[in-house]
Amino acid sequence: ANTHVPVIIDAGIGRPSQAAEAMEMGADAVMASTAIASAGSLDIYGCTFTGNGSTMEGGAVHALGGALSLQIRNSTFANNSAATFGGALVSGAASTLLVNVTLVDNTCGPGGGAYWQFETPATMINSIIARRFGGTDASDIATFGAGNFTSQSANNLIGPGGAANLIDGVNGNLVGVTD
């Protein structure tokens, strides 16, 4: 009798393309050591992410470059970690919207940022990003390429260090808050 034993790769990959390669070689699933990694559209509402980790970037959520959209509302990210960028959150989605989101006490490696926005703009409203630990970049938000915030971003509280293009006092944003 033929039996099928599922093959699941647990972590150890470095790039999304390596996950695709593992699937092409016949693996049934790949666990990338991030709570949620998405290459499509992802909507998160009313969730708490705590204690997650990644051996790469995006300790809790990673919207891969090329993903259609990431929307997070009324959610909290605390005590997550990543080895490089985005201790809690990484987004390269074509459209990113954060509303009433709190990122606090997340850690990351040398790249910096509790939140890393790369290559695409994001809109953030009524959110808090503070007390990021670790790394050589002391910023709560790290960006790459065209990663920045739209002019609709408003009423956010951001800790010390980099805040991308958010400016203290503009649109109700408080940037550089230490306590």
Side-chain angles (χ1 to χ4, degrees):
N2 287 351
T3 58
H4 175 72
V5 176
V7 176
I8 300 173
I9 309 291
D10 184 9
I13 65 168
R15 296 182 312 274
S17 62
Q18 291 174 320
E21 289 173 27
M23 297 296 287
E24 288 171 358
M25 290 187 293
D28 293 292
V30 176
M31 297 171 59
S33 73
T34 292
I36 297 175
S38 175
S41 294
L42 180 60
D43 294 325
I44 298 171
Y45 183 85
C47 293
T48 298
F49 294 86
T50 185
N52 298 288
S54 172
T55 57
M56 293 298 292
E57 64 247 354
V61 172
H62 187 169
L64 304 171
L68 296 176
S69 69
L70 172 65
Q71 290 192 25
I72 304 176
R73 296 174 186 269
N74 303 326
S75 296
T76 300
F77 295 77
N79 299 306
N80 299 288
S81 64
T84 57
F85 293 94
L89 173 63
V90 169
S91 181
S95 171
T96 300
L97 175 64
L98 308 176
V99 179
N100 300 325
V101 175
T102 299
L103 281 75
V104 64
D105 295 337
N106 296 285
T107 62
C108 62
Y115 170 34
W116 186 37
Q117 182 67 36
F118 67 96
E119 295 295 348
T120 59
T123 300
M124 182 167 55
I125 301 168
N126 299 332
S127 295
I128 298 169
I129 302 179
R131 295 196 326 232
R132 196 248 346 139
F133 300 103
T136 54
D137 177 357
S139 62
D140 285 302
I141 300 171
T143 60
F144 178 77
N148 57 29
F149 293 96
T150 67
S151 60
Q152 292 82 23
S153 296
N155 303 316
N156 299 293
L157 185 146
I158 310 298
N165 60 322
L166 295 177
I167 299 171
D168 188 44
V170 175
N171 290 343
N173 293 308
L174 300 176
V175 176
V177 177
T178 58
D179 285 329

